[in-house]
Amino acid sequence: MSNKDTRSAEQQGTFLSFAKDSALAYWQQRDGRERRLLLVAFLVVAAAIIYSVLIDPALSGRVELQKQVPQLRQQVAEMAELSKQSAQLNTSMAENIPAITREAVEASLVHWAVKPQTLAVSDDVVRVQLSSIAYAGLMEWLLEMQKSARLTVDDARVTALPETGMVSATLTLRQQRNAS
């Protein structure tokens, strides 16, 4: 501890002992009746502070929460109903998606003016090899197939070509027919 810290601690100790001595002298100068009145006043002020800081916020918070509970229960019931509706929609959407066919994939590729090098469709799996396609066009076609036929990419090998923005791609797509 440095001298400065020691002096600061001594000054604080001196101040506290001075305050204690002053308060004790003041208390001893009072007669019994004044001491009782001061003690009662101190207890009333302490009780008011405790009530305003600890008890009142707890009571008012409890009342607020009791007011909010019915609203929260209503919101939970609404969310449960929306969840049921969502599950029903997922089930009905999965039932309404026809199995993917070679003709559907070819029609989609023709719509995007893409000629596949090879195309194979079996069960819910589509394998397509594209020799030269714009990368943006490939992404848009994949997005369309995802939305219209629920095809997701299982495997993709994309190679950049010397022409800017052009790629060759070999894709394996799988149709998601169950509500997952």
Side-chain angles (χ1 to χ4, degrees):
M1 212 183 220
S2 69
N3 283 341
K4 192 175 190 179
D5 291 340
T6 306
R7 275 186 267 141
S8 176
E10 287 175 4
Q11 288 174 351
Q12 287 177 351
T14 305
F15 175 76
L16 290 177
S17 69
F18 175 74
K20 180 181 167 188
D21 292 341
S22 305
L24 187 59
Y26 179 79
W27 186 256
Q28 289 175 348
Q29 289 175 355
R30 305 293 151 231
D31 63 10
R33 185 171 177 245
E34 285 180 317
R35 287 181 187 176
R36 280 191 301 273
L37 284 174
L38 287 172
L39 187 58
V40 168
F42 175 75
L43 291 175
V44 167
V45 169
I49 290 173
I50 289 172
Y51 178 80
S52 66
V53 171
L54 300 175
I55 297 172
D56 185 46
L59 291 176
S60 61
R62 183 175 178 217
V63 169
E64 254 332 286
L65 289 175
Q66 286 175 341
K67 288 178 184 177
Q68 291 177 354
V69 166
Q71 293 172 336
L72 293 173
R73 285 187 179 145
Q74 177 66 28
Q75 289 175 354
V76 167
E78 289 174 8
M79 289 175 63
E81 183 61 32
L82 289 173
S83 176
K84 279 184 195 176
Q85 290 176 3
S86 174
Q88 289 172 348
L89 282 174
N90 280 343
T91 303
S92 68
M93 285 180 64
E95 293 169 355
N96 292 336
I97 298 222
I100 192 72
T101 63
R102 181 181 180 91
E103 292 77 24
V105 176
E106 284 176 342
S108 175
L109 289 168
V110 166
H111 172 75
W112 286 92
V114 176
K115 182 153 177 77
Q117 195 170 359
T118 61
L119 174 64
V121 178
S122 62
D123 294 328
D124 291 338
V125 178
V126 175
R127 288 183 182 83
V128 62
Q129 187 173 5
L130 306 168
S131 58
S132 180
I133 183 172
Y135 181 77
L138 174 65
M139 293 297 115
E140 288 175 6
W141 177 74
L142 286 172
L143 183 61
E144 177 194 319
M145 294 307 291
Q146 181 183 20
K147 288 179 182 178
S148 65
R150 279 204 180 166
L151 286 176
T152 58
V153 177
D154 241 10
D155 183 41
R157 288 184 214 120
V158 180
T159 307
L161 297 177
E163 300 92 31
T164 303
M166 299 300 285
V167 296
S168 66
T170 304
L171 305 167
T172 303
L173 310 171
R174 183 175 306 276
Q175 187 176 37
Q176 303 298 319
R177 295 180 50 88
N178 58 357
S180 53

